[in-house]
Amino acid sequence: MTKRVSAFLIFALLGALLAACGGAPTAPAPTAAPAEQPTAAPAEQPTTAPQTGGMTGVIKIATQSPLSGPQAALGVGIRNGAELGLEQLGKALTDMGFTVELAPFDDQAKPEVGSANAKNIISDNDILCLVGHLNSGVALASLPDYQSASLVMVSPANTNPKITESGYPNAFRIVGRDDVQGAVGEEFARTELNIKSVYIIHDKTDYGQGVAEFFRQNAEKNGITVLGFEGTEEKSVFDSILTPIQAANPDLIYFGGIYDQAAPLFKQARDRGIQAAFLGPDGLDSPVLLEVAGDAVKGMYYTSVAAPVSQFPDAAKFAEDYQAKYNEAAPPFSAQAYDAMGICIQAIANAATAAGGKPTREQVLEAMKGLGAYTGITGSYEFNAKGDPVKGTYFVLQVSTESGAPAEVWNKNAVVKRLEIAAP
């Protein structure tokens, strides 16, 4: 007890002496503060870092595309391209301290599945951006959920104008639009193929019917006789479609839809002796078309917003890496998915820098709107206020007539025309 009292008296006297000399009587207290804030980093990020947890945490980027079913050839390519992009470009986020993960979802090319997946996606707060979809109809079914959560969608493939014309502030795409693609196809048919009459078939989807409508509008305006305009969900036996086409004897059959439906339609048309030329949009852009339809489609033309990977010099390394990782040639839209992933990563990194830590979806959306030009392996992209690329690239291609494995032959398809056209 005596020692404690003596110690107390000594400290009291010292405090009095310090006060008399102008020292603060509470000077000993601040020694605890540095222990609570041991580094200078929080001082540099005083407001947002404590709220976001600093430059740590898990960041996920989702994909939605058909990973099963008849359209998986393109859908898996989108998933794989995005995965390769995250592996090779994700350093921008991992160097900040984040862990990055891919969250792939199989939408089966069905709007109802995509919508159900979208609800699961937005429930995971670590998902800050999405690469998808392949099918415009699936994207349109999913976008209301993405919008409700301010989740950015960057599409490598969706071409229906409604994607960016429906008022979704979170919808972006790096490809062109079908109101332009349909016009490009019609102009080529009229001026290069000298087409005077056409029979138009579509698959009743937002994508297929949409692009077919734009082709028809331009054909009628420019003097091509439209002998028929019909939608079908038939996938295998097309007798009821081909009988009136054979009777009408058009110069051209235009098909608005996807390769899995077009291939048996074109093959059966040739088997019946129909000699009309074939033309369609980028939904036909798959070696599966050649694999199923064979000689029936060799030499035919199609339009696309995404040429084969071989047509992009800056994507040569990507093509090699894709082949090495997945043991197959990079399919159409896979390189665009790589770039869509790169755009997601850049927007998240910019948002994280501004926030001083893991950003919110709202902050990623704001960063996306202010992204500016992004240079990828398939081109340089800058978005207008709607989310369209300021300029879209459109191709007219001809299917190779060479022999060999369909995937190898498909990459030899020739670009007949390449057009840079401003977004409407």
Side-chain angles (χ1 to χ4, degrees), residues 327-370:
N327 199 32
E328 63 181 14
F333 298 109
S334 59
Q336 284 73 20
Y338 183 99
D339 279 347
M341 174 60 76
I343 289 168
C344 275
I345 290 169
Q346 189 63 61
I348 295 170
N350 290 356
T353 299
K358 183 176 176 179
T360 64
R361 288 170 178 165
E362 290 79 7
Q363 289 168 330
V364 174
L365 177 55
E366 286 306 306
M368 186 68 194
K369 291 177 180 178

Side-chain angles (χ1 to χ4, degrees), residues 156-238:
N158 296 144
T159 51
N160 189 291
K162 288 185 284 187
I163 297 292
T164 51
E165 293 287 351
S166 299
Y168 295 112
N170 57 313
F172 301 83
R173 57 174 153 209
I174 65 172
V175 291
R177 299 164 40 134
D178 284 334
D179 45 356
V180 179
Q181 183 177 191
V184 167
E186 184 277 335
E187 190 273 341
F188 180 78
R190 177 170 41 86
T191 63
E192 303 292 333
L193 301 182
N194 198 31
I195 295 300
K196 304 298 183 184
S197 62
V198 61
Y199 205 108
I200 302 172
I201 307 295
H202 64 80
D203 64 1
K204 295 187 176 182
T205 67
D206 286 289
Y207 163 70
Q209 183 169 351
V211 71
E213 288 277 8
F214 291 121
F215 185 94
R216 176 172 72 168
Q217 290 170 16
N218 283 274
E220 291 175 341
K221 181 176 67 177
N222 294 316
I224 295 177
T225 302
V226 178
L227 299 172
F229 185 89
E230 189 172 349
T232 180
E233 295 176 340
E234 178 58 52
K235 298 287 188 180
S236 56
V237 180
F238 292 92

Side-chain angles (χ1 to χ4, degrees), residues 59-60 125-129 151-152 348 358-361 364:
I59 290 176
K60 298 178 184 178
N125 291 327
D126 288 331
I127 296 177
L128 299 184
C129 196
L151 179 67
V152 170
I348 295 170
K358 183 176 176 179
T360 64
R361 288 170 178 165
V364 174

Side-chain angles (χ1 to χ4, degrees), residues 46-423:
T47 55
T48 57
Q51 297 170 1
T52 60
M55 296 290 195
T56 59
V58 175
I59 290 176
K60 298 178 184 178
I61 300 175
T63 63
Q64 269 234 75
S65 60
L67 306 180
S68 60
Q71 296 179 32
L74 294 182
V76 170
I78 287 174
R79 190 274 315 276
N80 291 350
E83 181 178 58
L84 198 56
L86 188 61
E87 289 177 5
Q88 297 184 352
L89 305 175
K91 194 172 184 292
L93 295 174
T94 57
D95 281 356
M96 290 180 171
F98 299 115
T99 300
V100 295
E101 298 177 5
L102 185 75
F105 287 80
D106 179 9
D107 64 29
Q108 301 176 33
K110 298 176 180 177
E112 66 275 15
V113 176
S115 177
N117 286 345
K119 291 173 174 58
N120 290 327
I121 287 169
I122 64 172
S123 69
D124 185 344
N125 291 327
D126 288 331
I127 296 177
L128 299 184
C129 196
L130 177 128
V131 174
H133 295 245
L134 171 64
N135 308 91
S136 291
V138 182
L140 290 168
S142 305
L143 270 167
D145 286 306
Y146 299 153
Q147 181 187 26
S148 71
S150 298
L151 179 67
V152 170
M153 180 192 85
V154 183
S155 176
N158 296 144
T159 51
N160 189 291
K162 288 185 284 187
I163 297 292
T164 51
E165 293 287 351
S166 299
Y168 295 112
N170 57 313
F172 301 83
R173 57 174 153 209
I174 65 172
V175 291
R177 299 164 40 134
D178 284 334
D179 45 356
V180 179
Q181 183 177 191
V184 167
E186 184 277 335
E187 190 273 341
F188 180 78
R190 177 170 41 86
T191 63
E192 303 292 333
L193 301 182
N194 198 31
I195 295 300
K196 304 298 183 184
S197 62
V198 61
Y199 205 108
I200 302 172
I201 307 295
H202 64 80
D203 64 1
K204 295 187 176 182
T205 67
D206 286 289
Y207 163 70
Q209 183 169 351
V211 71
E213 288 277 8
F214 291 121
F215 185 94
R216 176 172 72 168
Q217 290 170 16
N218 283 274
E220 291 175 341
K221 181 176 67 177
N222 294 316
I224 295 177
T225 302
V226 178
L227 299 172
F229 185 89
E230 189 172 349
T232 180
E233 295 176 340
E234 178 58 52
K235 298 287 188 180
S236 56
V237 180
F238 292 92
D239 289 346
S240 63
I241 299 290
L242 292 173
T243 296
I245 290 177
Q246 193 161 24
N249 192 29
D251 294 334
L252 174 72
I253 296 174
Y254 183 90
F255 178 77
I258 307 295
Y259 60 86
D260 63 314
Q261 192 177 15
L265 171 67
F266 291 153
K267 186 176 188 305
Q268 290 170 38
R270 285 289 182 262
D271 289 345
R272 290 175 68 112
I274 295 174
Q275 296 302 308
F278 299 146
L279 183 67
D282 48 18
L284 310 186
D285 194 357
S286 170
V288 175
L289 182 75
L290 184 60
E291 181 180 338
V292 174
D295 289 344
V297 297
K298 286 188 174 182
M300 72 164 284
Y301 298 92
Y302 63 98
T303 59
S304 182
V305 296
V309 176
S310 58
Q311 295 297 323
F312 301 102
D314 292 338
K317 178 67 163 55
F318 165 82
E320 294 174 5
D321 293 342
Y322 192 103
Q323 178 72 50
K325 184 175 177 63
Y326 303 109
N327 199 32
E328 63 181 14
F333 298 109
S334 59
Q336 284 73 20
Y338 183 99
D339 279 347
M341 174 60 76
I343 289 168
C344 275
I345 290 169
Q346 189 63 61
I348 295 170
N350 290 356
T353 299
K358 183 176 176 179
T360 64
R361 288 170 178 165
E362 290 79 7
Q363 289 168 330
V364 174
L365 177 55
E366 286 306 306
M368 186 68 194
K369 291 177 180 178
L371 188 66
Y374 175 88
T375 300
I377 61 173
T378 61
S380 181
Y381 299 101
E382 187 170 2
F383 301 99
N384 64 16
K386 294 178 182 179
D388 286 315
V390 172
K391 281 190 177 181
T393 305
Y394 301 86
F395 302 88
V396 179
L397 300 105
Q398 184 175 26
V399 177
S400 174
T401 57
E402 294 187 20
S403 300
E408 295 176 3
V409 172
W410 198 260
N411 269 328
K412 298 177 182 177
N413 290 354
V415 173
V416 179
K417 270 192 173 182
R418 176 176 179 147
L419 305 166
E420 301 285 334
I421 302 175

